[in-house]
Amino acid sequence: MNETLAVQVRGVERRFGDLQVLRGVDLDVRQGELVALFGPSGSGKTTLLNLIGALDWPDAGEIVVLGRDILRLGERGRAQLRRTQIGFVFQGTSLLPTYSALENIDLALRLPGLGYFERRRRAKATLAALGLSAWANHMPEELSGGQRQRIAIARALALQPRLILADEPTSGIDAAAVRRILTLFRGVAEAQGTAFLIVSHDPLVADYVDTLYDLVDGKVVRRQPDLENDTRERRDKAWVG
Ligand code: ADP
Ligand code: MG
């Protein structure tokens, strides 16, 4: 087992009835690495994230997350891993409608057992990092889709997990805010060693990640390294400029 790997997927298959969605997926994500997974709608991106996040079971293959073989963990061990070590940004709105932005983050931080003052400190700091301080006490229905999405991102970051699984996290967010979020992700990856697996359609995401993959015909294929170098140069230039 490789200690620097946050995620190790080998030969994973998943079918729903007659539809075989994943046909032998291999994928590694290292600690501190930002990985983007692209693929058309219906290609199985969410299915794969759900498997890595211990929310679903594959038909075949191996999945090791943060050093744990999650297919051999019991339901209690899987739940513990999800609550304490994995930050999820789900596709679409996942905020609880009867709680404010701040309370939605606070609730996620109760699960690993953080105390009140630490929860408040982290919730306020991450809302500020995403430019949402003014919205802390607003209810989800008072916020735009993009603001709700950014609160879901703040909630995942506030947990300070070792792995963040983000399903289309930039959808509904304008380009300038997307750039700020991805720059923030890079800073968190570098400072805390957090691994990010970002599923996306958004070409902007490619400029900020370390490694790009495509989900094609049920398999994960790495993008040509020369294209990645090109991308990194563009990103570095964008930082200077
Ligand atoms: P993506 O996230 O890339 O858009 P999904 O992983 O959501 O794709 O879905 C891949 C395929 O699997 C789709 O055809 C979808 O309809 C099907 N699918 C996903 N989840 C289920 C399920 N629980 N039951 C039946 N079919 C499913
Ligand atoms: Mg999806």
Side-chain angles (χ1 to χ4, degrees), residues 2 23 25 41 43 46 54 72 83 97 120 124 150 186 202 211 217 222:
N2 187 332
R23 302 166 176 267
V25 166
S41 181
S43 58
T46 297
R72 287 174 203 275
R83 283 174 195 163
R120 282 293 135 131
K124 287 185 173 171
R150 278 150 67 203
R186 286 212 67 80
D202 187 345
T211 321
D217 298 331
R222 187 163 173 171

Side-chain angles (χ1 to χ4, degrees), residues 111-147:
L111 296 172
L114 292 173
Y116 175 83
F117 290 104
E118 180 63 9
R119 298 200 308 268
R120 282 293 135 131
R121 190 189 67 75
R122 287 200 199 176
K124 287 185 173 171
T126 48
L127 285 170
L130 285 149
L132 293 164
S133 295
W135 300 97
N137 297 312
H138 285 256
M139 304 302 280
E141 66 171 19
E142 298 168 332
L143 305 172
S144 71
Q147 286 169 333

Side-chain angles (χ1 to χ4, degrees), residues 64-99:
V64 178
V65 176
L66 302 168
R68 278 174 223 126
D69 179 346
I70 62 167
L71 304 182
R72 287 174 203 275
L73 281 180
E75 234 0 279
R76 188 185 289 247
R78 288 162 66 88
Q80 174 77 2
L81 185 73
R82 286 194 297 263
R83 283 174 195 163
T84 62
Q85 310 273 6
I86 304 177
F88 290 94
V89 182
F90 291 103
Q91 203 168 5
T93 286
S94 58
L95 303 180
L96 293 169
T98 56
Y99 292 89

Side-chain angles (χ1 to χ4, degrees), residues 16 19 21 39-48 91 167-168 215:
F16 299 107
L19 180 70
V21 178
S41 181
S43 58
K45 303 183 298 299
T46 297
T47 300
L48 180 59
Q91 203 168 5
D167 200 350
E168 315 263 5
L215 185 45

Side-chain angles (χ1 to χ4, degrees), residues 37-221:
L37 177 65
F38 290 96
S41 181
S43 58
K45 303 183 298 299
T46 297
T47 300
L48 180 59
L49 273 195
N50 287 343
L51 291 169
I52 294 169
L55 295 162
D56 186 21
W57 295 89
D59 296 299
E62 292 170 31
I63 307 174
V64 178
V65 176
L66 302 168
R68 278 174 223 126
D69 179 346
I70 62 167
L71 304 182
R72 287 174 203 275
L73 281 180
E75 234 0 279
R76 188 185 289 247
R78 288 162 66 88
Q80 174 77 2
L81 185 73
R82 286 194 297 263
R83 283 174 195 163
T84 62
Q85 310 273 6
I86 304 177
F88 290 94
V89 182
F90 291 103
Q91 203 168 5
T93 286
S94 58
L95 303 180
L96 293 169
T98 56
Y99 292 89
S100 71
L102 188 78
E103 288 165 341
N104 264 277
I105 298 174
D106 186 80
L107 283 168
L109 301 184
R110 282 177 195 224
L111 296 172
L114 292 173
Y116 175 83
F117 290 104
E118 180 63 9
R119 298 200 308 268
R120 282 293 135 131
R121 190 189 67 75
R122 287 200 199 176
K124 287 185 173 171
T126 48
L127 285 170
L130 285 149
L132 293 164
S133 295
W135 300 97
N137 297 312
H138 285 256
M139 304 302 280
E141 66 171 19
E142 298 168 332
L143 305 172
S144 71
Q147 286 169 333
R148 284 198 291 263
Q149 184 71 4
R150 278 150 67 203
I151 286 160
I153 291 168
R155 180 176 57 185
L157 291 170
L159 184 64
Q160 298 181 3
R162 289 170 65 200
L163 170 65
I164 290 193
L165 301 175
D167 200 350
E168 315 263 5
T170 64
S171 62
I173 301 176
D174 65 83
V178 169
R179 290 189 178 283
R180 278 201 301 277
I181 289 164
L182 292 166
T183 302
L184 181 63
F185 281 5
R186 286 212 67 80
V188 169
E190 275 154 35
Q192 298 176 17
T194 314
F196 287 79
L197 178 54
I198 304 167
V199 154
S200 188
H201 275 113
D202 187 345
L204 257 184
V205 170
D207 290 357
Y208 290 83
V209 297
D210 299 305
T211 321
L212 280 174
Y213 294 93
D214 292 295
L215 185 45
V216 186
D217 298 331
K219 294 195 176 186
V220 168
V221 184

